[in-house]
Amino acid sequence: MKMITNNKDKHYLAVSLSGSSDQDVLGQMADAMFQEGYVTDGFHDAVIKREETFPTGLPTGTINVAIPHTDPEYVKKAAVCLGVLEEPIEFYVMGMEGEKTSVSLLFMLAIKRKEEQLGLLQKVVEICQNQKMLAIIQKGDKDIIENIMKELIH
């Protein structure tokens, strides 16, 4: 895993990573959020467990995404971690039992208060519906990713 950008004042980070499974990349991202002080050490297991029960893979087009998250009790400070995968990883599709999709980008959410969840999810979904935007993010350009993450957080 390689850090692309990190802005503790703005509550986001972005990483480039690879792995062999959805659990592997989720664990890497959760660990990065823990190391930066956004979440508790229980976040790692909780986000993986939640993904098993409530999958977050979204087939959005050529570039598919996942939006993993878990309960606020594991969050110290609200934040978003963008994961740019070097190679796509299979994730189960949200609301489609047994169906999988190859995910290239992840938006891991650490939500402190449930009332903040809907607004942030709406912004993330808006980005996920724009394949041109996803292609730009996938290239991993630090400046562009920083601008997108700043807009997402505000």
Side-chain angles (χ1 to χ4, degrees):
M1 180 176 64
K2 180 180 83 175
M3 187 72 67
I4 296 172
T5 186
N6 184 5
N7 188 324
K8 288 186 181 182
D9 292 334
K10 301 290 183 190
H11 300 274
Y12 68 81
L13 63 150
V15 294
S16 171
L17 65 158
S18 62
S20 58
S21 69
D22 59 345
Q23 291 185 352
D24 186 13
V25 295
L26 290 172
Q28 290 178 53
M29 291 177 70
D31 290 347
M33 292 186 83
F34 173 70
Q35 290 169 3
E36 297 302 321
Y38 293 117
V39 298
T40 68
D41 59 353
F43 185 86
H44 178 281
D45 292 340
V47 79
I48 290 172
K49 185 175 181 179
R50 188 183 190 290
E51 188 70 27
E52 290 170 357
T53 308
F54 301 104
T56 63
L58 294 171
T60 55
T62 306
I63 301 169
N64 300 315
V65 301
I67 309 172
H69 55 283
T70 194
D71 299 322
E73 68 188 84
Y74 301 103
V75 178
K76 292 179 179 180
K77 294 187 291 187
V80 176
C81 180
L82 169 66
V84 180
L85 297 173
E86 293 174 10
E87 295 292 328
I89 299 281
E90 292 288 304
F91 273 72
Y92 283 101
V93 175
M94 183 186 299
M96 303 292 290
E97 190 170 329
E99 191 174 322
K100 289 186 172 186
T101 190
S102 293
V103 167
S104 299
L105 297 172
L106 294 101
F107 292 88
M108 183 173 279
L109 309 180
I111 299 167
K112 185 73 177 152
R113 297 192 321 245
K114 288 193 180 218
E115 57 270 13
E116 296 170 350
Q117 183 171 341
L118 184 59
L120 181 57
L121 278 173
Q122 287 173 332
K123 289 179 183 179
V124 170
V125 168
E126 195 173 298
I127 290 171
C128 295
Q129 292 173 336
N130 184 335
Q131 285 292 306
K132 288 181 182 177
M133 179 74 72
L134 295 177
I136 291 168
I137 293 170
Q138 191 176 30
K139 291 179 182 172
D141 181 278
K142 178 184 174 185
D143 293 333
I144 291 171
I145 287 174
E146 283 183 352
N147 287 335
I148 291 167
M149 295 301 283
K150 286 176 188 172
E151 288 296 317
L152 182 61
I153 298 301
H154 286 100

